[in-house]
Amino acid sequence: MESLMKKLKKPLVLVTAFSIVGAGSSFTVAPEQAEAKSWKHELGQTENLKYPDEIVAGVFKNLRKETRGPLPFSEALRMINEMNKVEVMDNYLNRTGKKVKPEEIRDIVSQVYGIDLNTISELGAGKQTSTFSDHVFEKVEKGLKADVTEATLMSLSKKEVMDLYWAGFEGRMDGADMRRMINEVFGINLEGIANLEGSGVSLFSKEQWISQYERDLFVVHTGFTDVDVWVYPTEYFKEQTGLTELPQQLKNKLRDLGFTYNDEVGAYYYRNLTGESVLDDFKGKTLGAIIRVANEEYSELK
């Protein structure tokens, strides 16, 4: 028995040592894995995120890639919260550098901006024109690989036009290309909308809130096809100022643009008599006038 134990002693020591090393190695986590586990845990524990988890994670990955070094998740989250929506969208798109399909683009717009392009298309809401631009025709014809008549193009849903536009685009679309496409097809200026945060102006258009924040002072509300526009104060503005209608300074600026008070909607109202959607230039002037009054007279409320 003793000789047998002597024979087994060395193998047992080796087995024991191997078991200890094996057990130790099974609990060893690579630094990259530990870091990934850490930020994902932080993401899961963070409440009241400005954007959905998927967007925050994607932007964080791109920021970390650009930083080329350690980037604490808390610092990245601060950076994300300070970005405007255009910057968030572009950072999210750049996380992989892959070509993004139309349905994915619509999903990204929904997650970043809270705008549902699919619903707008289904309702037939938004931009109302007698035709699309030559640029849209060119892209759609390339996508179809065939000539397209005006009647055919106008019979398509906005979602179908967007899909064909995307198919006719040469190369990989970047964020600016996507935003141009969405503006040309849907009449939604994502660049401009990103600048509304902190401006004091809410925007309701295409049958949904396009931009809305708690401390907004005024609402720009467009009709189903963007042919008409009306402007009125928010409940927050009324509570803070004691006013029940727009301030006189703003009324004057809106009148200069062609707005008149409309009893039916209880707001300052403008309608494009051509029956087409109001032009981007007019929208810009209207928003600019409202934002100036908000900045000059009520900046402390924003």
Side-chain angles (χ1 to χ4, degrees):
M1 177 68 74
E2 189 176 339
S3 62
L4 179 61
M5 290 302 293
K6 283 181 180 178
K7 287 180 182 179
L8 291 174
K9 190 172 182 181
K10 284 186 180 178
L12 281 172
V13 170
L14 287 172
V15 169
T16 305
F18 178 78
S19 299
I20 292 170
V21 172
S25 63
S26 67
F27 288 98
T28 300
V29 180
E32 306 83 35
Q33 291 176 308
E35 185 188 359
K37 212 170 180 183
S38 172
W39 75 257
K40 285 178 181 176
H41 177 73
E42 283 189 69
L43 174 60
Q45 295 297 308
T46 306
E47 296 181 352
N48 302 317
L49 287 168
K50 192 173 179 180
Y51 300 99
D53 287 9
E54 181 184 342
I55 297 297
V56 173
V59 175
F60 172 64
K61 288 175 183 177
N62 189 62
L63 289 174
R64 190 170 56 177
K65 181 175 69 176
E66 291 182 345
T67 304
R68 296 181 182 178
L71 178 63
F73 181 73
S74 57
E75 174 63 13
L77 194 57
R78 182 192 63 76
M79 294 167 67
I80 293 168
N81 288 337
E82 290 178 357
M83 292 178 183
N84 67 27
K85 287 177 166 56
V86 166
E87 293 169 323
V88 171
M89 179 177 177
D90 286 348
N91 270 276
Y92 183 77
L93 290 168
N94 292 338
R95 75 199 189 283
T96 62
K98 293 180 181 177
K99 197 169 185 177
V100 183
K101 295 180 179 179
E103 195 57 54
E104 294 175 89
I105 295 172
R106 290 189 284 271
D107 183 58
I108 292 167
V109 170
S110 176
Q111 292 197 73
V112 174
Y113 286 84
I115 299 172
D116 190 337
L117 296 176
N118 288 323
T119 297
I120 291 170
S121 179
E122 289 165 11
L123 292 173
K127 192 171 185 177
Q128 181 68 36
T129 60
S130 56
T131 186
F132 285 98
S133 69
D134 291 342
H135 186 250
V136 173
F137 264 95
E138 177 193 334
K139 290 291 182 284
V140 169
E141 287 182 337
K142 281 184 178 178
L144 276 174
K145 297 178 181 175
D147 292 338
V148 177
T149 65
E150 185 176 296
T152 299
L153 188 57
M154 296 305 293
S155 71
L156 299 175
S157 70
K158 289 181 171 64
K159 178 179 172 181
E160 290 170 323
V161 175
M162 176 177 167
D163 289 356
L164 289 169
Y165 182 117
W166 179 89
F169 188 89
E170 295 175 0
R172 184 179 73 86
M173 276 190 174
D174 62 17
D177 296 322
M178 294 174 193
R179 289 186 290 273
R180 179 184 179 182
M181 172 179 66
I182 289 165
N183 195 22
E184 288 194 284
V185 175
F186 288 86
I188 296 175
N189 183 349
L190 295 177
E191 304 270 356
I193 290 164
N195 293 325
L196 287 179
E197 184 174 359
S199 70
V201 181
S202 291
L203 177 61
F204 186 90
S205 185
K206 286 82 176 170
E207 299 299 291
Q208 59 185 278
W209 286 105
I210 302 297
S211 179
Q212 185 184 37
Y213 298 93
E214 287 183 1
R215 294 170 70 90
D216 284 344
L217 307 173
F218 309 110
V219 177
V220 174
H221 189 133
T222 70
F224 185 75
T225 54
D226 283 358
V227 172
D228 50 358
V229 186
W230 51 103
V231 181
Y232 52 90
T234 64
E235 289 303 315
Y236 170 73
F237 176 82
K238 293 177 184 178
E239 290 167 4
Q240 295 297 313
T241 64
L243 296 173
T244 57
E245 55 187 36
L246 295 177
Q248 192 60 48
Q249 308 97 304
L250 183 51
K251 289 179 183 178
N252 294 339
K253 289 183 182 295
L254 292 174
R255 285 196 193 105
D256 290 343
L257 290 169
F259 282 81
T260 56
Y261 186 77
N262 185 302
D263 288 318
E264 288 184 23
V265 296
Y268 269 73
Y269 180 84
Y270 175 88
R271 181 178 180 82
N272 189 353
L273 298 179
T274 66
E276 294 190 348
S277 298
V278 293
L279 299 174
D280 283 348
D281 181 57
F282 180 81
K283 292 177 186 176
K285 287 177 180 177
T286 301
L287 288 168
I290 299 169
I291 292 169
R292 274 194 296 277
V293 171
N295 286 341
E296 292 170 5
E297 305 295 334
Y298 303 101
S299 59
E300 74 283 358
L301 297 181
K302 295 194 296 174

